[in-house]
Amino acid sequence: MNASKYLVADGNNVSIGSVSLERLKQDFGTPLYVVDEQDFIDRAKVFKDNFKSSKFETRILYASKAFTNLYMAGLVDSLGLYTDVVSGGEIYISLKAGEKAKNLYFHGNNKLRSELEQAVDADLGTIVIDNESEYELLDKILKEKNKVQACLLRINPSIDAHTHKYIQTGGDDSKFGMSVHLDETKELIKKLSKNEKIDFKGFHCHIGSQIHDEKFFFFEVEVMLKYAKDIENNLNIKIREMNFGGGFGVYYTSEDKPFDLETFLQRYAEKIEEKLLNLDMNLETVSIEPGRSLINQSITMLYEVGVIKTTSTGLNYIFVDGGMTDNIRPALYGAKYEAFIANKISEEPTTKYTIAGKCCESGDILVKDEMLPKASAGDLLMIPNAGAYTYAMASNYNKLSKPAVVFVKNAKAKLAVRRQSFEDLVSNDEVYKNE
């Protein structure tokens, strides 16, 4: 099992952070998101300790879209990380949790006026401008409020990384950013640099997610720094900051071959230093935005097994008490996971199962063709490495309640998000009245 080192099996008893999964099931119910807090802290340290330079300031921006709540945002702040936010809701959660406004970077391809006003009013550290229309809207808001805002411009570097098309973000037809190939991009850069209400610092780019080949990130450095140097030379505009995004691949199943983060991050920083030297160029700040690669390994999903069913074709199903409502990724773009029966972890796998949820959708499948011990109703099924874009994408389809979120560390379990009640499901509804 490739998972957090704090996920330990002792016979048929599995624990995370020295807390038994059976105890977690008893105390908090299932489905349940279990966050290994120490594992997350350790992984944040790997990024901070290895992506650093004596030539420029380095910043690690946690991509909150992968997984956030008040507890998580507070933890991120305590670790000295910056945060990438993409909506008014994420801004609100970060600030409500006590994160420093100056440490937030606001992304998005269609920021609403209300969201931009929210960011400006809160004195958010950096707004990453995506397009010309957004610039014009922000310009009006800054003039109305007589404020100055630090900004980056999102650039599309025209790199098609080898990953699922839904999570590629750097190709020529991406919905994000301004193309390196267009003259309009340079015209917008001129406007940004001349605008007295905007402190234009540089560029942001992102080539996609779940990328396992290091060469794409090194190529991104080549493309973007060359582009930045061209802007400096031809437009006489100083580029002070580069944000290279994230997308570092993680382990889900044996098909995934993630690179070693420690050595990669060191070579990544060295590559940036080397390219800057070759271009005779200096930067004040270089940022990266790990989300999935910071949180994914730190969360395990727990489910209770219900019905066991064998079809007329011999397909064996395990039905669990959650499904696509708490993890949409398999249904959305065929994401793959590994699964284990926690209370039978030491037993020999004998049967091939497909693990399905309880939603009224044939596509509500969590894991296909998994060899497991003979399953029984009441078994505790776990899916490790399930931190990114699970809780973040959870829904109430079929009016299922969203699961609770528990953080575990040093033999203690802390409830971070309570399980939704039926009353929560209708808390915003109005009752029909025949008038």
Side-chain angles (χ1 to χ4, degrees):
M1 183 191 310
N2 188 329
S4 162
K5 65 182 179 182
Y6 304 104
L7 194 159
V8 178
D10 180 10
N12 280 330
N13 179 47
V14 181
S15 63
I16 300 177
S18 299
V19 181
S20 163
L21 299 191
E22 286 290 349
R23 180 191 142 193
L24 290 171
K25 175 185 175 182
Q26 292 169 11
D27 291 351
F28 301 102
T30 56
L32 185 66
Y33 299 100
V34 183
V35 186
D36 187 338
E37 186 171 333
Q38 188 59 56
D39 183 75
F40 180 81
I41 292 170
D42 291 351
R43 295 182 73 77
K45 190 173 188 299
V46 167
F47 277 94
K48 292 189 70 176
D49 287 353
N50 293 283
F51 187 72
K52 56 185 180 180
S53 171
S54 61
K55 309 295 183 185
F56 43 78
E57 177 192 358
T58 54
R59 293 180 179 178
I60 309 300
L61 280 56
Y62 174 62
S64 61
K65 65 181 180 177
F67 173 88
T68 195
N69 49 55
L70 288 175
Y71 189 104
M72 186 65 183
L75 176 59
V76 165
D77 183 69
S78 75
L79 296 174
L81 304 177
Y82 289 69
T83 298
D84 155 6
V85 292
V86 297
S87 71
E90 289 188 358
I91 292 171
Y92 177 82
I93 287 173
S94 292
L95 296 179
K96 181 80 172 176
E99 288 195 75
K100 304 170 189 67
K102 66 183 180 64
N103 287 351
L104 303 185
Y105 282 66
F106 184 23
H107 292 266
N109 64 292
N110 184 32
K111 303 179 187 71
L112 306 179
R113 181 184 181 98
S114 60
E115 292 174 324
L116 288 171
E117 289 179 338
Q118 178 188 10
V120 171
D121 288 341
D123 295 320
L124 235 62
T126 306
I127 293 178
V128 182
I129 294 173
D130 183 86
N131 52 68
E132 175 89 25
S133 296
E134 183 176 295
Y135 160 72
E136 292 172 354
L137 178 56
L138 179 59
D139 177 50
K140 291 178 183 177
I141 292 170
L142 292 172
K143 286 175 179 174
E144 290 169 4
K145 296 179 179 293
N146 192 28
K147 283 198 167 188
V148 175
Q149 175 66 54
C151 294
L152 300 177
L153 177 64
R154 179 157 184 168
I155 298 293
N156 184 334
S158 187
I159 298 173
D160 287 317
H162 291 173
T163 187
H164 193 283
K165 65 180 181 179
Y166 284 7
I167 49 179
Q168 289 177 347
T169 57
D172 286 328
D173 60 353
S174 172
K175 75 173 189 174
F176 300 104
M178 301 285 289
S179 173
V180 291
H181 301 304
L182 295 177
D183 291 337
E184 289 90 333
T185 304
K186 292 183 178 180
E187 292 303 313
L188 179 54
I189 293 169
K190 290 178 188 177
K191 293 178 183 178
L192 288 167
S193 67
K194 292 177 181 178
N195 193 320
E196 294 181 353
K197 296 299 181 183
I198 287 179
D199 177 14
F200 176 62
K201 292 193 170 184
F203 302 125
H204 167 270
C205 60
H206 183 70
I207 58 174
S209 297
Q210 191 57 357
I211 299 167
H212 292 300
D213 193 334
E214 299 176 358
K215 71 181 180 184
F216 290 108
F217 299 106
F218 296 135
F219 184 46
E220 177 190 23
V221 169
E222 293 275 350
V223 170
M224 288 305 303
L225 289 183
K226 186 173 182 238
Y227 185 78
K229 183 62 176 179
D230 176 65
I231 295 300
E232 287 192 347
N233 287 344
N234 295 315
L235 300 184
N236 195 30
I237 297 170
K238 174 62 180 172
I239 303 302
R240 292 171 286 153
E241 180 173 355
M242 292 291 298
N243 182 328
F244 289 105
F248 319 122
V250 302
Y251 181 93
Y252 287 106
T253 73
S254 58
E255 295 178 6
D256 298 312
K257 308 296 180 186
F259 43 72
D260 179 74
L261 271 175
E262 290 190 21
T263 56
F264 164 72
L265 290 167
Q266 292 169 15
R267 289 187 289 111
Y268 198 30
E270 290 168 0
K271 173 69 174 180
I272 297 167
E273 290 177 344
E274 176 188 303
K275 187 63 179 176
L276 289 172
L277 181 63
N278 290 343
L279 292 171
D280 189 25
M281 185 178 176
N282 295 300
L283 289 174
E284 295 174 5
T285 307
V286 176
S287 308
I288 55 174
E289 296 172 343
R292 186 193 310 264
S293 54
L294 255 174
I295 191 59
N296 195 66
Q297 182 175 291
S298 302
I299 298 184
T300 298
M301 286 294 306
L302 297 186
Y303 300 96
E304 182 174 327
V305 173
V307 171
I308 313 295
K309 179 179 180 180
T310 301
T311 68
S312 61
T313 61
L315 179 63
N316 298 307
Y317 277 110
I318 291 175
F319 296 148
V320 295
D321 53 353
M324 63 190 294
T325 49
D326 43 76
N327 184 0
I328 190 66
R329 295 184 67 252
L332 186 62
Y333 42 70
K336 296 181 180 180
Y337 291 87
E338 294 175 335
F340 303 87
I341 299 178
N343 57 296
K344 297 177 179 177
I345 196 72
S346 66
E347 298 180 17
E348 191 69 25
T350 58
T351 309
K352 184 184 290 185
Y353 289 104
T354 288
I355 300 162
K358 66 191 305 308
C359 292
C360 290
E361 295 286 341
S362 296
D364 184 18
I365 305 294
L366 292 173
V367 182
K368 291 182 179 179
D369 300 333
E370 189 74 272
M371 290 298 297
L372 295 170
K374 187 73 172 177
S376 304
D379 281 342
L380 181 58
L381 187 132
M382 68 176 188
I383 298 179
N385 302 304
Y389 306 103
T390 49
Y391 169 77
M393 292 185 175
S395 76
N396 291 125
Y397 181 57
N398 284 174
K399 289 303 179 185
L400 296 184
S401 300
K402 292 182 183 178
V405 178
V406 175
F407 281 69
V408 293
K409 179 187 174 188
N410 296 334
K412 294 181 180 179
K414 293 165 280 189
L415 182 65
V417 181
R418 66 173 174 80
R419 185 177 308 280
Q420 282 186 325
S421 67
F422 288 156
E423 186 60 35
D424 290 329
L425 295 179
V426 297
S427 61
N428 292 325
D429 291 10
E430 295 291 336
V431 176
Y432 169 74
K433 295 177 182 178
N434 189 6
E435 297 175 344

